[in-house]
Amino acid sequence: MSDAKKREIDINHWLNDANEGNVTFEPLNSIIILKKNENALLELHNIALWEPRAVRHSQGGYGGTRVRVAKGVSVNLGSFKANSESKEELREIDRGTLTLTNKRLVFTGQKRTVNINLQKIIAIEPYNDGITLQRENKQKTEYFIGTNQHSLDITSNENKYTIPLTGIVIKAIIKGEISKY
């Protein structure tokens, strides 16, 4: 078996173990204050928080002619028409640190702090560079982008690897921690 194939098998094995809650992490000294029986698993810096925002686009214009009635006096003969529409666009809300613990996912930025209890997560969608979350009592989807700037050292079948922290890896770790409840 080639080294690349063995690496792929080992990483998939580790992802399955993570998904089932069968991986352990060395506790970190975190920037957040941990609660009783809570351990920080990952701490990722320079992560962007994106959310959908309603953005209004307006445009208008005048159509018609101007008629001079007397010296210094003119009248506009025409009309002004304006059009305004609102649509949702993804906007970067803040940039900061994303900390995953065995109980929470916490984003701490300059303008916004987001504290998500892992048990309140309804859905996670992984991407190459991050994840999106839907959670209870929150209508807007939250996007955490930039996780692939970081890597994780793993051991699988007694082999050590360094893998990028893609959305698939983070989703597996979160699902594994949720499965422990």
Side-chain angles (χ1 to χ4, degrees):
M1 180 181 329
S2 73
D3 287 345
K5 187 66 176 168
K6 183 166 180 36
R7 175 183 164 88
E8 181 183 338
I9 290 170
D10 285 347
I11 290 172
N12 284 334
H13 182 264
W14 186 90
L15 284 172
N16 286 335
D17 283 349
N19 219 3
E20 295 169 5
N22 296 328
V23 295
T24 56
F25 292 88
E26 304 244 348
L28 301 173
N29 287 328
S30 176
I31 64 168
I32 65 169
I33 297 172
L34 299 172
K35 299 181 181 202
K36 186 176 182 180
N37 298 325
E38 185 175 33
N39 298 313
L41 309 177
L42 298 173
E43 193 160 87
L44 311 175
H45 301 281
N46 198 28
I47 302 299
L49 169 63
W50 290 64
E51 284 185 357
R53 290 286 189 245
V55 178
R56 183 164 296 282
H57 296 283
S58 301
Q59 63 185 35
Y62 171 76
T65 60
R66 173 173 267 185
V67 178
R68 182 174 170 194
V69 178
K71 186 176 182 183
V73 179
S74 306
V75 177
N76 291 327
L77 301 173
S79 64
F80 179 82
K81 184 173 182 177
N83 186 15
S84 178
E85 87 179 24
S86 179
K87 31 181 186 176
E88 276 201 348
E89 293 180 2
L90 281 178
R91 294 285 172 110
E92 184 174 316
I93 305 300
D94 202 357
R95 210 165 256 285
T97 301
L98 185 65
T99 305
L100 174 62
T101 75
N102 59 326
K103 297 183 179 198
R104 300 181 289 161
L105 186 65
V106 181
F107 175 84
T108 49
Q110 295 289 325
K111 299 178 261 179
R112 176 83 64 88
T113 299
V114 178
N115 184 16
I116 303 168
N117 182 331
L118 294 184
Q119 292 182 330
K120 302 267 183 185
I121 295 174
I122 297 169
I124 303 171
E125 188 171 341
Y127 295 99
N128 284 337
D129 62 347
I131 58 172
T132 62
L133 289 179
Q134 286 91 31
R135 60 182 166 129
E136 290 177 19
N137 303 321
K138 174 83 174 173
Q139 290 182 341
K140 292 186 180 184
T141 302
E142 294 162 309
Y143 296 74
F144 298 99
I145 307 298
T147 62
N148 61 340
Q149 303 168 49
H150 303 275
S151 59
L152 181 64
D153 294 328
I154 65 167
T155 302
S156 179
N157 296 325
E158 299 180 14
N159 296 311
K160 295 181 186 267
Y161 301 101
T162 299
I163 60 173
L165 271 172
T166 64
I168 292 170
V169 174
I170 293 173
K171 179 180 180 179
I173 296 169
I174 291 172
K175 284 181 72 177
E177 291 304 314
I178 292 170
S179 74
K180 293 178 182 179
Y181 292 106

